[in-house]
Amino acid sequence: MRPASPELISPRSPRVAAARRLAKRNFRGKERLFLAEGPQAVREAAGYGDTLVEVFATVGAAERHADIIGAARDSGARVHLAAEQVIEDISTTVTPQGLVGVCRFLDTPFDEILAARPRLVAVLAHVRDPGNAGTVLRCADAAGAEAVVLTDASVDLYNPKAVRASVGSLFHLPVAVGVPVERAVAGLRDAGVRILAADGAGEHDLDAELDAGTMGGPTAWVFGNEAWGLPEETRALADAVLRVPIHGRAESLNLATAAAVCLYASARAQRAATGCRSVTES
């Protein structure tokens, strides 16, 4: 049997035009919708309540990923078969993968995050690069963090590059957006969370902190801007400012790598403190 012809022949379709506009922040904010591109992101969106609104798929992608299309339909999303030109018109990537989802905003109010009494949180303060923001979110998810907070001076959570860089982790853990850094720190501290700032010029060494056994409790890591790190007024809010030790000759670590090291250090310390063992340990 020949595959069905695409339903959306022209990129000038009103639905396509509406999806294409979501590449711009002002339209995302107005509609409270964003794009999730590629099989992994669409699969995760389909499994996250009623977040997924609609899916555009080429005939080939719909055949290759019939399970995702089925999950999307089961979630209540509209599915449109589309010409490749349509997907290229909507997509923000150089080489589209044939699937693009339109999703509802899913950020969580900061007060709800505090009420859940999180033990591990990543706070992105003045982080402007969407790829870094998405990658830190992915690292936080992998390390078992319970939440991520983006301050009011940070990049848009729903920037297509940030969504892609999260590789689906955006749909896995609560994320609060637009929180002033002072409020984020004060709220987390009141919830019993210790505030650690990650900075290459930190007075204390991460290894020494681990050796001292002081990292087993609830912790929030504050990560700063890619270019200039954390301003002094933000550093002053933290209970301690830690640097990741450089044992080799590298000049520094980029933001996402440093965040991964710090979050995993806390995750390991917390598991040791509660008597839990990593699933990778024999």
Side-chain angles (χ1 to χ4, degrees):
M1 180 181 296
R2 296 179 60 188
S5 298
E7 297 170 2
L8 301 180
I9 299 172
S10 171
R12 292 186 294 275
S13 162
R15 287 195 181 280
V16 173
R20 184 173 58 243
R21 285 195 295 268
L22 297 177
K24 297 182 179 180
R25 182 171 187 168
N26 59 330
F27 284 102
R28 291 195 296 271
K30 180 180 178 181
E31 302 296 332
R32 290 193 60 78
L33 297 171
F34 70 99
L35 297 176
E37 301 183 39
Q40 177 67 17
V42 175
R43 179 185 290 109
E44 297 294 343
Y48 193 90
D50 63 352
T51 294
L52 189 61
V53 176
E54 57 188 338
V55 176
F56 298 87
T58 63
V59 172
E63 291 176 344
R64 290 192 302 273
H65 305 291
D67 59 327
I68 299 176
I69 298 300
R73 288 195 170 109
D74 289 345
S75 75
R78 297 185 298 271
V79 177
H80 311 288
L81 292 178
E84 289 188 10
Q85 183 183 2
V86 169
I87 300 299
E88 291 174 0
D89 200 45
I90 298 172
S91 177
T92 61
T93 62
V94 177
T95 55
Q97 299 179 61
L99 284 176
V100 180
V102 175
C103 305
R104 295 182 177 90
F105 278 15
L106 42 70
D107 44 278
T108 301
F110 183 53
D111 287 343
E112 288 188 17
I113 288 175
L114 296 179
R117 310 293 290 186
R119 287 185 54 80
L120 184 57
V121 180
V123 179
L124 278 63
H126 313 289
V127 172
R128 303 293 178 83
D129 182 89
N132 276 335
T135 303
V136 172
L137 201 159
R138 183 183 183 188
C139 292
D141 181 21
E146 285 114 344
V148 173
V149 178
L150 273 71
T151 69
D152 52 359
S154 289
V155 68
D156 176 22
L157 171 66
Y158 303 109
N159 181 293
K161 291 182 180 179
V163 176
R164 286 198 303 274
S166 80
V167 196
S169 288
L170 173 63
F171 302 99
H172 294 169
L173 73 172
V175 183
V177 301
V179 184
V181 65
E182 296 83 1
R183 183 183 173 222
V185 169
L188 287 164
R189 182 174 284 123
D190 287 346
V193 178
R194 185 181 183 219
I195 311 299
L196 297 179
D199 194 285
E203 310 91 77
H204 304 287
D205 182 288
L206 177 62
D207 283 353
E209 196 79 8
L210 284 167
D211 290 343
T214 57
M215 293 183 60
T219 302
W221 280 98
V222 182
F223 304 108
N225 181 271
E226 298 85 347
W228 60 81
L230 290 169
E232 182 55 40
E233 57 268 26
T234 302
R235 288 163 51 101
L237 297 172
D239 296 307
V241 181
L242 304 184
R243 65 182 183 276
V244 176
I246 303 293
H247 301 300
R249 298 175 61 186
E251 185 271 333
S252 63
L253 296 175
N254 65 25
L255 171 63
T257 303
V261 171
C262 294
L263 290 165
Y264 266 93
S266 283
R268 180 61 182 263
Q270 290 176 353
R271 282 162 172 75
T274 57
C276 296
R277 300 174 67 187
S278 167
V279 294
T280 61
E281 291 180 337
S282 59

